[in-house]
DNA sequence: ACCTGAACACCGTTCAAGT
DNA sequence: ACCTGAACACCGTTCAAGT
């Protein structure tokens, strides 16, 4: 509610409380915006990516057209819902960059990224994935920041030799999203996610040359 | 066309050429069935899981109701399209069980499974994933066979000590599906799939105890 | 036994009319 | 500037009527 607590999100999203022209929003527009995000959050948590936009508008107490005015595409609405979570992930990552143990820092952050990716029934994973597909043309500013901090953590661990040299930044983040997607609807969802992450971390860890069978 | 070349598929699917009662299909019903699968294959390849069933029926020259008569759910239609590919994968796996190098055999099969999972715009990966989620209540007979042959290859490699002991059968197959999903829409799709599979194989390979940092 | 095609409920999207 | 609500095109699904 207060400008202070909303500061981070506004800085990242940049369209919560002011229109494209930069002027402050009309009171009803602002209220509608907030209600839409709130109801979208609930709907996405329940139904995942396929949640009905019509239903979200209805629950927010606005007509369909209003939803479209605020969020021209489904992705715009999704991003508004994810913004806060991603900002937290970025903050965590920056803190971890100062932690001594490179591998632990990377491992901790990837675990947090996995937890994020698991939210909203695989929706976050899907968005992460498509953001990574676009390379530099990432979906949003905060995805770019998320990528940067993850890349920094990996690069650091790689340079100090605890992680294999061929581990690519985008690949590793892709794997995290992939794990979330795979474990999403499993009966033992979070347990499986844990095991799959362990498999990934094992693949990342440098333990010397693998013994060759042939030559 | 000949009973011989269609033998495998019929044996697995069990509803191509005869009705549930076991009697041979009427000629028009059989023709419709085949046209529907053929057009579905084309549509799934182009649009992925979300291909319009209406459009498939239209292109097959039948009314909507006819599609529903043959394939009560979307999954039924998808399975009919995937049946042949999965049968080939099972055959390959059985052959690989007699190959000497355990790790190479597993690696080769997982690569083939990944190629399969990449078909139809991620559709095959999604079906594999949901099949694995159901555990013993797998989606279809041929998914059960696919799981069995993959599990056998992994168990063999694990027992001879070239693969880490904690590698779970379902987990590894899940990862293959996940990799396919992740790489699906990437600009360098197949190259990324290769790299991610390499990461997985590195995580599977047993190379001795990882060096501990703490205790 | 099998197919057709109309009917239904639901969806996302657009846009003229309002305030 | 912003919202409403009707209109549109499209979708999956059901089912009575046909052959």
């Amino acid at each position: 509610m207060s400008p202070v607590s909303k500061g981070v999100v506004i800085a990242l999203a940049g369209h919560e409380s002011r229109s494209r022209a930069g002027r402050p929003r009309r009171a009803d527009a602002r209220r509608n915006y907030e209600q839409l995000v709130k109801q979208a959050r609930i709907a996405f948590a329940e139904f995942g990516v396929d949640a009905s936009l019509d239903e979200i508008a209805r629950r927010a107490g606005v007509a369909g057209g209003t939803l479209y005015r605020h969020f021209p595409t489904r992705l715009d609405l999704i991003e508004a819902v994810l913004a806060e979570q991603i900002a937290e992930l970025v903050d965590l990552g920056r803190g971890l960059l100062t932690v001594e143990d490179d591998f632990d820092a990377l491992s901790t952050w990837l675990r947090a990224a996995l937890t994020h990716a698991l939210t909203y029934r695989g929706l976050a994973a899907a968005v992460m994935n498509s953001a990574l597909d676009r390379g530099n043309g990432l979906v949003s500013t905060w995805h770019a920041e998320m990528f940067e901090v993850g890349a920094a953590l990996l690069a650091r661990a790689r340079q100090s030799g605890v992680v294999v040299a061929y581990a690519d930044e985008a690949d590793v983040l892709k794997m995290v999203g992939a794990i979330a997607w795979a474990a999403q609807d499993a009966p033992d969802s979070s347990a499986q996610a844990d095991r799959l992450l362990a498999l990934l971390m094992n693949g990342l860890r440098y333990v010397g040359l693998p013994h060759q069978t042939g030559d």
Side-chain angles (χ1 to χ4, degrees), chain A:
Chain A
M1 226 44 132
S2 77
V4 177
S5 70
K6 288 200 69 180
V8 182
V9 180
I10 289 174
L12 285 168
H15 57 189
E16 265 83 4
S17 58
R18 38 198 78 245
S19 64
R20 243 158 295 177
R23 268 173 291 123
R25 285 175 184 276
R26 237 167 59 177
D28 55 347
R30 172 182 246 283
R31 188 160 21 86
N32 285 342
Y33 181 98
E34 281 162 8
Q35 271 302 306
L36 282 167
V37 174
K38 182 179 172 185
Q39 294 302 327
R41 196 183 298 278
I42 295 170
F44 286 146
E46 188 171 4
F47 303 106
V49 216
D50 297 325
S52 160
L53 297 183
D54 223 50
E55 179 74 8
I56 290 170
R58 212 185 51 72
R59 291 203 208 172
V62 301
T66 302
L67 189 150
Y68 276 83
R69 164 167 273 267
H70 286 293
F71 307 100
T73 74
R74 178 178 223 105
L75 194 57
D76 291 317
L77 182 55
I78 290 175
E79 286 184 0
V81 168
L82 297 182
E84 267 178 284
Q85 258 187 44
I86 298 185
E88 285 171 22
L89 206 49
V90 170
D91 283 348
L92 174 68
R94 288 189 178 138
L96 284 168
L97 272 169
T98 66
V99 168
E100 259 199 57
D101 189 324
D102 294 352
F103 196 87
D104 265 13
L106 176 66
S107 172
T108 302
W109 191 79
L110 288 181
R111 180 167 300 274
L114 177 58
T115 303
H116 161 71
L118 277 165
T119 53
Y120 303 113
R121 299 196 144 223
L123 182 148
V127 174
M128 253 180 69
N129 194 64
S130 74
L132 288 163
D133 280 342
R134 308 200 195 180
N136 290 334
L138 286 154
V139 178
S140 62
T141 329
W142 50 97
H143 273 115
E145 296 188 15
M146 183 182 165
F147 178 77
E148 268 171 43
V149 78
L153 283 163
L154 181 66
R156 196 170 71 118
R158 212 173 38 201
Q159 273 153 28
S160 64
V162 291
V163 153
V164 291
Y166 57 81
D168 177 75
E169 284 86 350
D171 285 357
V172 171
L173 276 175
K174 275 246 167 179
M175 276 298 237
V176 172
I179 288 171
W181 175 81
Q184 201 54 46
D185 296 317
D188 61 335
S189 179
S190 66
Q192 181 167 69
D194 279 351
R195 293 198 306 272
L196 295 183
L197 184 63
L199 214 55
L200 171 61
M201 294 315 294
N202 194 50
L204 286 177
R205 181 161 235 148
Y206 181 75
V207 285
L209 288 168
H211 56 166
Q212 297 292 328
T213 40
D215 59 18

